[in-house]
Amino acid sequence: MITFETSEMIDQVRAMLHGMVKNIVRPIARYYDDHEHERPKELEAFKPIMQAGMGGGKRSKKEKREIKQTEDRIGSNAIGVVGAEELSWGDVGLMLAMPGGGLGNAAVNAVATDEQYERFGMKYCAMAITEPGCGSDASAVSATAVLDGDEYVINGEKIFVTDGDRCEAVVVWATLDKSQGRAAIKSFVVEKGTPGFRVEKLEKKCGIRASDTATMVFEDCRIPRTNLLGDPEIKAEGGFKGVMQTFDNTRPLVAAMAVGCARAAYEFTREALAKEGITIRYDRPCLEQTAVERDLIWMEAQLEVMWLLVERAAWMADNGRPNNLEASIAKAKCGKYGNIIVQKCVEILGPIGYSREYLLEKWMRDNKVNDIYEGTQQIQMLVVARRILDYGRDMLS
Ligand SMILES: Cc1cc2nc3c(=O)[nH]c(=O)nc-3n(C[C@H](O)[C@H](O)[C@H](O)COP(=O)(O)OP(=O)(O)OC[C@H]3O[C@@H](n4cnc5c(N)ncnc54)[C@H](O)[C@@H]3O)c2cc1C
C-alpha cells in the first residue's frame, strides 16, 4: 500500500533546512535579485546538502537490487523534493545557485559508472541540452561529438544553461551521428578549463536573477572518451529513452520548487491579511465567507494536491517504479498552479504585492520559469497524453 507518511529523518531535514533558509537565504534574496550575476558567497554552507540531494544521489548496484525488492521505501528522491521545496520557499533563484546542486548532477547520479562518479560525483555540474535550434524537442540536438582515438571532439553551441558560469563541469548533449536521429544523442561531461570550451555570455532575466544562465560554445573541444555517460553504442531502440530518463528524476524536483515558491506567497499573503484582522473562517458556510477567504482556501487545497503529486512521483522513483507519467503530471500541475497562486496573491494584496519593498512581486517573476524549463507546460501535457493514450511520438507531437 502507498503511504506518504514522512519519516522522522525527513522531518528533521525539513526543519534543519527551514532554519537555514530563513536565516541565510531569505535575508539576501533581494540583494541578489538586484545584483544579477554576482556569485552568492553565503551559499557555500549548502554545498554538502546539495551534493547529497540533487537527483537522488548515486546508488550502488546492490542498492538498486534492494530497491526492486522493497515495497515502501522513503529514499533520496523523497528527501530531494523536500529539500527543493524548502529551499525554494526561501528563494528559487538562490536555490538554483547553490553550489553542488546542478541539473547535471542528476544526470551523473543517474547514469555514471562508479569510476565516473569518482571523478564527477562531487563536482558542481550544469546540464546543457538547449541550442539556438533545439528547445522543446530535445531530439533536435545538433552539437556533435566525433570519436578521434581516445577522445571525443565536441563542437556546437548551447544556450540557457543554468549554472553554466559557476559550475565546475557541464553535461553536454551531442550527437554521434546526426543521420542516425535521436538514437545517436549521448551525454558527455566536459570540465571547466578544457581547451575549446568557453562561456560566451550571461543572460539578463526577468526572474531567478540570482541564478546564472549561460551561453556556451564548444570548438574542437577534446575530452577523454571515458567522459561519455551511459552506453556509447548507437541503438535504434531505447537509447534516447535512456538519456531522457534523467527528466523523470528532475521534473519532480522542479515541481517541488514551484510548490515551495507558491507556498511562500500564500503564507506571506495570509499573514499580511491577518495583520489587518482578515482571517479564514473555516467553520462558516461558503455563502458567508468572503471571496478572499474562499481564494485562500482554494490555494491551500491546490498546494496540498500539488505536493501529493510531487511526493507520488518521488516515491515511485525511490521504489524503482517507472514514473514518467507521474513526473510529468506533477510538473504540469505544479508549474501551472504555482504561477496562478502567486499571481492571485499579488492580486489580493494589490500595492503590497506589486511593491519591491516585499518579495511577493519577485516570487511572481521567479516562479514563471518553473513552468518553462525541464519541459514546458505544453510539453508535459504532450507526455501525459502520450502515456495515457499509449501513443508514440509519431502519433502525437
Ligand atoms: C531561466 C532558464 C533556465 C534554463 N536552464 C536550462 C538548462 O540548464 N539546460 C538546458 O538545456 N536548457 C535550459 N533552459 C531552456 C529550456 O529548457 C527551454 O527554454 C525549454 O525547453 C523550451 O524550449 P525553447 O525555449 O526552445 O522553446 P520552444 O521549444 O521554441 O517553445 C516555444 C513555445 O512553443 C511551445 N511548444 C513547443 N513545441 C510544442 C508542441 N509540440 N506542442 C505544443 N506546444 C509546443 C512551448 O511550450 C513554448 O510555449 C532554460 C530556460 C530558461 C528560461
Side-chain angles (χ1 to χ4, degrees), residues 127-130 135-136 160-162 205 208 213 369 372-374 376 378-379 382 397:
M127 182 86 160
I129 304 167
T130 308
S136 293
F160 279 96
V161 182
T162 299
K205 307 189 297 296
I208 56 161
T213 310
V369 79
I372 299 176
Y373 54 22
E374 294 299 289
T376 62
Q378 292 77 8
I379 296 305
L382 263 184
S397 62

Side-chain angles (χ1 to χ4, degrees), residues 171-353:
V171 175
V172 182
W173 285 29
T175 174
L176 294 177
D177 179 356
K178 188 83 180 154
S179 69
Q180 296 203 49
R182 55 207 169 107
I185 296 173
K186 304 285 172 187
S187 51
F188 304 82
V189 183
V190 183
E191 295 190 65
K192 275 283 174 65
T194 308
F197 168 28
R198 66 174 192 275
V199 171
E200 185 83 339
K201 76 159 192 177
L202 294 178
E203 293 296 331
K204 291 182 186 157
K205 307 189 297 296
C206 147
I208 56 161
R209 289 157 57 85
S211 159
D212 64 305
T213 310
T215 293
M216 302 177 157
V217 174
F218 301 88
E219 274 173 351
D220 293 331
C221 175
R222 290 181 166 269
I223 55 165
R225 69 186 295 173
T226 51
N227 284 22
L228 183 149
L229 294 174
D231 187 353
E233 293 299 314
I234 301 175
K235 290 186 180 139
E237 287 303 311
F240 188 62
K241 231 185 207 165
V243 196
M244 291 294 282
Q245 267 167 7
T246 312
F247 288 127
D248 298 342
N249 283 355
T250 54
R251 283 177 179 163
L253 287 169
V254 176
M257 289 162 65
V259 179
C261 187
R263 181 165 65 86
Y266 163 76
E267 289 175 5
F268 176 84
T269 305
R270 195 185 57 192
E271 283 161 24
L273 290 169
K275 280 185 197 149
E276 303 300 320
I278 302 164
T279 53
I280 308 173
R281 293 165 302 157
Y282 291 97
D283 57 342
R284 307 310 300 162
C286 66
L287 58 93
E288 287 181 22
Q289 287 167 335
T290 63
V292 166
E293 283 173 89
R294 287 205 294 276
D295 279 345
L296 291 173
I297 290 170
W298 178 85
M299 285 185 217
E300 279 181 11
Q302 294 303 326
L303 285 168
E304 191 68 23
V305 173
M306 288 154 68
W307 185 241
L308 285 172
L309 291 171
V310 170
E311 287 216 308
R312 180 175 64 167
W315 178 89
M316 292 179 79
D318 278 338
N319 289 277
R321 299 182 187 204
N323 72 339
N324 181 256
L325 169 65
E326 291 74 13
S328 281
I329 290 177
K331 170 80 167 62
K333 173 80 182 178
C334 299
K336 181 171 179 175
Y337 281 80
N339 284 323
I340 294 175
I341 289 172
V342 181
Q343 285 183 26
K344 194 80 197 162
C345 290
V346 172
E347 182 187 310
I348 290 172
L349 292 184
I352 293 176

